[in-house]
Amino acid sequence: MTSLLETGVHLPGALLQGGLITEPSVWQMIVGTSWMGRTILLILLVFSLLTWGIILRKLLVFRGLKSKRAQFLHAFGRPSSLAEAYQAALAIPPNPLTEVFKAGTRELKHLSQRGSTIGDETFEGNPIGSAATVGGAATRPSMAITILEKESIQMALEREAAQQVEELEDGLAFLATTGTVAPFFGLLGTVWGIMDAFLSIGLRGSGNINVVAPGVAEALVTTVAGLAVAIPAVIAYNYFLSQIKEVADELGHFSSELLNVILRERRA
């Protein structure tokens, strides 16, 4: 019986050992790809490393935010006044809720200073006290907030909430891009590899399946790599998007609650 070595048939993806064909490994198929295929695999490797870096960083961020948000909401519900709540917020690590709370209190301080004769030193370390005294006399009476002041505080809360959400969305665009373009990179490598395999068939003058199959298998490696990069990116993108939506909804509810608390205290 004539062996494959004697016929001169070249099997790109096969490993010949003692005249017998053994199944090639993934690494052997990667090495056997064309320069175009290896270039695409290198690009996909870079996308994969960056994607997993973003995924791990985001997982740590959201894991920390969950405990910090719960800690702040617990602290915010206990004090009897905004002044006490502000002091409690200072002891909690920064998170979207504390930043929105501080933005609201800063706007309240600005409005209070604009509508009274009190100096900045009275508010030092506590922008939302009730009545302040200088020389034993009350200098900031409790006054109801006007419609314009209410809208100003609401805009400050919404602006800070939007900024916090935007910071959480950092990196999501890259995940979305990776999930979209990685399969097309893989497809490009596959098409190029198949084209190269068929050109080799034409040069050898043989269309035998033993000649065609190895080259096509090597070409499909880039498609597998593209999907392996895209699938985690898409899953992570959808997961983080749902987490950000949850935080955004929580910020909206908290902003409304904080505004109502401010209105109640100023009416008192």
Side-chain angles (χ1 to χ4, degrees), residues 26 30 58 64 77 79 91 93 98 141 143 167 170 178 203 230 233 242 259 263 267-268:
V26 175
I30 292 175
K58 287 290 183 185
T98 58
M143 299 174 61
E167 291 179 2
D170 179 46
T178 300
L203 293 175
S242 66
L259 185 59
L263 293 176
R267 291 195 191 103

Side-chain angles (χ1 to χ4, degrees), residues 9-12 198 201 206-217:
V9 177
H10 175 64
L11 301 179
F198 277 101
I201 292 170
S206 174
N208 192 296
I209 188 65
N210 292 331
V211 178
V212 178
V216 174

Side-chain angles (χ1 to χ4, degrees), residues 25-46:
S25 65
V26 175
W27 174 250
Q28 289 167 349
M29 287 191 290
I30 292 175
V31 173
T33 57
S34 64
W35 66 270
M36 183 67 169
R38 287 194 290 270
T39 301
I40 291 176
L41 289 175
L42 180 61
I43 294 173
L44 290 175
L45 176 62
V46 173

Side-chain angles (χ1 to χ4, degrees), residues 142-145 150 259-268:
S142 179
M143 299 174 61
I145 292 179
K150 176 184 175 182
L259 185 59
N260 290 332
V261 171
I262 292 175
L263 293 176
R264 285 198 303 268
E265 285 212 354
R266 291 299 293 268
R267 291 195 191 103

Side-chain angles (χ1 to χ4, degrees), residues 70-245:
Q71 184 180 359
F72 174 78
L73 291 176
H74 177 71
F76 180 75
R78 295 178 61 185
S80 57
S81 67
L82 280 177
E84 295 178 3
Y86 181 82
Q87 294 299 328
L90 294 178
I92 299 174
N95 65 82
L97 288 175
T98 58
E99 297 307 310
V100 169
F101 178 75
K102 291 175 183 177
T105 57
R106 284 195 301 268
E107 185 64 20
L108 178 60
K109 171 186 175 180
H110 173 72
L111 295 174
S112 300
Q113 289 175 330
R114 188 176 61 183
S116 65
T117 59
I118 190 168
D120 289 342
E121 65 276 8
T122 308
F123 285 97
E124 184 178 355
N126 183 9
I128 50 175
S130 53
T133 60
V134 176
T139 58
R140 184 171 75 80
S142 179
M143 299 174 61
I145 292 179
T146 65
I147 295 178
L148 291 178
E149 290 176 333
K150 176 184 175 182
E151 291 180 352
S152 179
I153 296 174
Q154 186 174 2
M155 288 177 60
L157 294 173
E158 292 176 353
R159 183 170 55 250
E160 184 63 32
Q163 182 177 346
Q164 293 299 317
V165 170
E166 184 177 354
E167 291 179 2
L168 292 177
E169 290 176 343
D170 179 46
L172 288 190
F174 183 83
L175 294 180
T177 301
T178 300
T180 302
V181 305
F184 289 102
F185 271 114
L187 182 60
L188 174 62
T190 296
V191 171
W192 186 279
I194 292 176
M195 181 179 65
D196 188 54
F198 277 101
L199 287 175
S200 300
I201 292 170
L203 293 175
R204 296 183 187 124
S206 174
N208 192 296
I209 188 65
N210 292 331
V211 178
V212 178
V216 174
E218 290 175 356
L220 290 173
V221 168
T222 56
T223 296
V224 174
L227 293 175
V229 173
I231 290 174
V234 173
I235 293 175
Y237 174 80
N238 290 327
Y239 172 75
F240 292 136
L241 198 63
S242 66
Q243 293 294 305
I244 291 174
K245 184 179 182 302

